[in-house]
Amino acid sequence: MIVQNASQDGSTDITFTVPRTDHKRALEMAARVGREIGAQSAEGDEKIAKVSIVGLGMKDHAGVASKMFRTLADEGINIQMISTSEIKISVVIEEKYTELAVRALHTAFVENGAAEPKAE
């Protein structure tokens, strides 16, 4: 997952995920490149999880993202990053909420015949 955000002051943040086994190396590389281009900082967090809902039918059904976000909010789970496509919605959350998120999304979607959530 890669997310770019431009702020009103003209600075840009780029956030991305890598497999946990690559975290240390990716952070070192980001810090090195950041120094070369004059970035303010490079930071990392190993205690996150990516949870996705996937399904071809998503492109024809309005409200899937809203239902996902509401389900997580109702469980008190803060979404740190969001990435979407026509057939997939992925969110980054605190790792400690992974099981709760997957179970809540399973209840919200699978029991109604929709796509099954998965943690990546």
Side-chain angles (χ1 to χ4, degrees):
M1 176 184 304
I2 302 171
V3 178
Q4 179 177 336
N5 179 47
S7 67
Q8 289 189 7
D9 70 3
S11 63
T12 301
D13 292 329
I14 297 176
T15 306
F16 59 93
T17 59
V18 296
R20 187 162 291 150
T21 54
D22 296 334
H23 177 264
K24 182 179 178 182
R25 183 169 170 248
L27 186 56
E28 289 169 354
M29 291 173 67
R32 182 178 34 102
V33 171
R35 284 189 300 273
E36 291 172 8
I37 65 170
Q40 189 175 40
S41 67
E43 301 171 9
D45 187 349
E46 287 184 276
K47 295 180 179 163
I48 60 168
K50 184 169 35 171
V51 177
S52 302
I53 57 173
V54 181
L56 290 173
M58 290 174 53
K59 63 183 177 180
D60 299 322
H61 291 86
V64 175
S66 175
K67 184 175 182 177
M68 181 184 194
F69 302 156
R70 172 55 42 208
T71 298
L72 296 174
D74 287 348
E75 296 295 334
I77 300 171
N78 183 50
I79 297 171
Q80 297 178 4
M81 291 173 52
I82 302 167
S83 178
T84 64
S85 73
E86 286 186 335
I87 63 166
K88 180 177 176 181
I89 302 170
S90 297
V91 298
V92 170
I93 61 172
E94 286 184 71
E95 179 182 52
K96 67 183 180 181
Y97 295 116
T98 305
E99 185 174 342
L100 176 60
V102 171
R103 287 182 187 275
L105 292 168
H106 183 277
T107 299
F109 286 95
V110 176
E111 291 181 7
N112 294 325
E116 186 165 346
K118 64 179 186 174
E120 299 180 282

